[in-house]
């Protein structure tokens, strides 16, 4: 949470120096929550932010009448783009090409990107093939990796709800 606060406090520098975040770790460790907190705090400061995931981007690309370039250009107009659950998209050649196009467009436009993923840093540093290597290389240059570790918040919440239900109906 400290990193999220500092990112927002230092937003002008982050933007000017194209500094993004790569929030990685296990399921339920708060990566999406932190990214959302940053997005919301910046939106409150009237900074245009777009938070999405590659599954939604790919759906938009597939259903777009205006064409791929316009979808990519629209994503690049935001000062900050947050991509949640990176690595969960289908690994088809088409999907990888689109993921690369988004990462490369942000890279070339020098606009920061925040990415959340369940991939490990080791998996990012040792990609399985060249298409993945091209994507990961850009992301790791643009985004500072931050490890999100701990017990799944969702498991804790589920356990609390179970205990509450037992008290209510037991």
């Amino acid at each position: 949470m400290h990193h999220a606060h500092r990112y927002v406090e230092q937003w002008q520098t982050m933007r000017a120096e194209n500094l993004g975040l790569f929030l990685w770790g296990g399921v339920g460790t708060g990566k999406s929550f932190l990214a959302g907190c940053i997005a919301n705090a910046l939106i409150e400061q009237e900074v245009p932010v777009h938070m999405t995931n590659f599954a939604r981007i790919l759906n938009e690309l597939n259903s777009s009448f205006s064409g791929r370039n316009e979808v990519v250009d629209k994503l690049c107009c935001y000062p900050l783009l947050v991509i949640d659950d990176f690595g969960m998209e289908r690994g088809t050649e088409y999907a990888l090409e689109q993921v690369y196009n988004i990462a490369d467009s942000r890279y070339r436009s020098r606009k920061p990107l925040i990415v959340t993923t369940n991939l490990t840093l080791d998996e990012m540093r040792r990609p399985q093939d060249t298409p993945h290597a091209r994507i990961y290389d850009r992301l790791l240059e643009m985004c500072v990796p931050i490890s999100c570790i701990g017990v799944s918040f969702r498991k804790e919440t589920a356990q609390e709800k179970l205990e509450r239900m037992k008290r209510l109906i037991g």
Side-chain angles (χ1 to χ4, degrees):
M1 193 54 101
H2 171 75
H3 295 303
H5 281 287
R6 294 293 293 153
Y7 191 87
V8 172
E9 289 169 3
Q10 298 294 324
W11 167 246
Q12 293 304 323
T13 302
M14 301 299 174
R15 170 67 185 97
E17 296 181 18
N18 186 25
L19 296 170
L21 297 175
F22 188 79
L23 305 172
W24 64 279
V27 172
T29 55
K31 301 174 300 294
S32 299
F33 178 77
L34 285 176
C37 288
I38 292 169
N40 287 335
L42 290 173
I43 289 168
E44 284 178 13
Q45 296 177 20
E46 300 183 1
V47 175
V49 177
H50 186 66
M51 186 166 178
T52 189
N53 61 44
F54 274 116
R56 279 194 212 119
I57 293 170
L58 292 172
N59 285 340
E60 191 174 339
L61 286 166
N62 289 334
S63 64
S64 174
F65 296 109
S66 55
R68 285 191 320 198
N69 290 340
E70 286 187 31
V71 172
V72 173
D73 290 347
K74 187 179 89 174
L75 291 172
C76 280
C77 75
Y78 293 94
L80 179 64
L81 177 63
V82 179
I83 298 180
D84 195 28
D85 283 334
F86 172 74
M88 298 292 102
E89 62 281 343
R90 297 179 313 274
T92 65
E93 190 175 319
Y94 172 79
L96 288 173
E97 179 185 333
Q98 300 318 310
V99 170
Y100 173 80
N101 286 339
I102 303 293
D104 187 57
S105 294
R106 291 301 290 188
Y107 179 80
R108 285 186 286 108
S109 67
R110 298 206 30 83
K111 290 184 179 173
L113 180 64
I114 293 178
V115 177
T116 72
T117 188
N118 295 128
L119 296 172
T120 67
L121 202 50
D122 199 43
E123 288 172 309
M124 296 286 293
R125 289 183 174 147
R126 293 187 180 92
Q128 61 205 42
D129 54 32
T130 301
H132 284 92
R134 293 171 67 216
I135 296 165
Y136 298 170
D137 189 57
R138 275 169 180 68
L139 292 179
L140 289 173
E141 179 182 340
M142 294 167 54
C143 303
V144 175
I146 296 178
S147 170
C148 297
I149 56 173
V151 177
S152 170
F153 291 114
R154 291 186 197 101
K155 284 183 183 174
E156 287 181 357
T157 302
Q159 188 61 40
E160 289 168 9
K161 286 183 177 184
L162 177 64
E163 296 302 322
R164 176 87 173 122
M165 185 64 79
K166 284 180 183 176
R167 286 193 300 276
L168 291 171
I169 65 173

